[in-house]
Amino acid sequence: MSEMWARTALQTYRWLGAAIYPFMGTYVALRMTRGKEERGRRHERYGYSKLERPDGPLIWVHAASVGETGAVSSLIQKIRALGINVILTTGTVTSASFARDRFGPDILHQYVPLDMKPAVSRFLNHWQPDLAIFAESEIWPMTILELGARRIPQVLINGRMSDRSFRRWKKRIALAESLFENLSHVAAQTEQDGERFSALGARPVTVTGNLKADVDVPPVDEVDLRRLTSAIGDRARWAAISTHDGEELAAARVHKALSKYRPGLLTIIVPRHPDRTPGLKKALEDRGLGVACRSSGDPVTPATDIFLGDTIGEMGLYLRLTDIAFVGKSLIGEGGQNPLEPAMLGTAILSGPNVSAFTEAYERLTEARGARIVEDEATLAKTVHHLLSQPKVCEAMARAGARVVDEMGGALNRTWQALDPYIHPLRVQAALRSDGPEFRPSSSASGVGPARRSALGWK
């Protein structure tokens, strides 16, 4: 009965998607008015592309947003070094900009198609990937089923399963099993994540660690850093990064409370979604605060209370300007954000209690005393005040956080090992194409992948 229910649920999902597909233009257009879609690239959401598929093996890598894209950057570079083409899909305008800056023309980038059969089928028909790699928690039923039907291996890397997601899937265990059985491999971040994926029917599952601990230290423009450091001078400062709606105003209230004891305090706020800048700037100024926006090139002067870091790809700059970083989506939001970048750059880390998406990282950081969890806004203000008053405590937290990141390294090599059975045949094909373009391997097997079909001269 449960298997029948799962099949019925997936069929209903397919029918529902087909039914509403003709009306998705309104939804995409609405997102565009809010800055969440690029006007000239809306067609990509429906699986259309203005780009041609390159010859040879092709791997599809999907990363939802900026954080996931950064996490898979080194992996993509390793794939490209083998001569294998990569089509990277992301879901946000900010991640598209990040991918363009990080990779340039070395890879192909598209917005991920809507999880509806017409869009997914059109995307797969055009790109014909030989392997699909998804990052973290990207579970899209129609995409998984379409890849499975085409016998295209699909691997989930840096896989994580939050408490809430696990509870939801457990209530629909037959549905979970019918989806996760299509995954060729799951490379999970932690033992707990691995156990959860296994319980939901994924096979095989290996624990490889968190790729975000293996990324390069966020870069910085040294000229900008020197200029801003000079402008700030010896002012006390702290940062609230990757903040979500409501946390910016909480940081502003903390700023006003601490300014009574620390005249000249500068608060750096880096919203997770910079498109919210106009509303944020007005809300902050309405509270009597002087605001300088990075995107506008506003100078930081003695009258500046809030430096609004509303740009993409400059987290390395903002974190180098402070010794204290509160990491958002944890006080008012849910799940938290990645604390490893601030740990890499030597900041004392603060977070709200809602960090279920990064449980292991925060457990290790707090156990090593590299991070502190604050329960509410008042506790945040007290803790920031304490750290500003005790620079040695702040330095000790920074050193502890850096040690934790070092200890968590190695995820990239372990993930590469998990992917090797799927990448190695494509590596051979790429090498054969470069060494002998006229080579035509023979095969009598059915269901061969598109790179093999291309090599055989099939259409």
Side-chain angles (χ1 to χ4, degrees), residues 223-235 237 300 302 321:
V223 174
D224 285 342
L225 178 61
R226 285 195 297 270
R227 180 176 56 80
L228 283 167
T229 300
S230 176
I232 295 171
D234 60 356
R235 296 173 62 180
R237 80 292 297 262
V300 175
L321 293 174

Side-chain angles (χ1 to χ4, degrees), residues 222-289:
E222 294 292 343
V223 174
D224 285 342
L225 178 61
R226 285 195 297 270
R227 180 176 56 80
L228 283 167
T229 300
S230 176
I232 295 171
D234 60 356
R235 296 173 62 180
R237 80 292 297 262
W238 71 290
I241 67 169
S242 300
T243 51
H244 283 242
D245 191 19
E247 290 178 323
E248 295 89 4
L249 295 184
R253 290 189 290 269
V254 169
H255 174 90
K256 297 193 79 168
L258 296 184
S259 293
K260 299 175 184 177
Y261 308 97
R262 292 190 168 276
L265 176 69
L266 178 69
T267 296
I268 302 166
I269 298 179
V270 186
R272 177 68 171 172
H273 302 292
D275 56 288
R276 296 172 49 234
T277 293
L280 278 178
K281 186 174 188 292
K282 183 178 186 305
L284 293 168
E285 290 177 337
D286 287 347
R287 285 159 175 76
L289 297 167

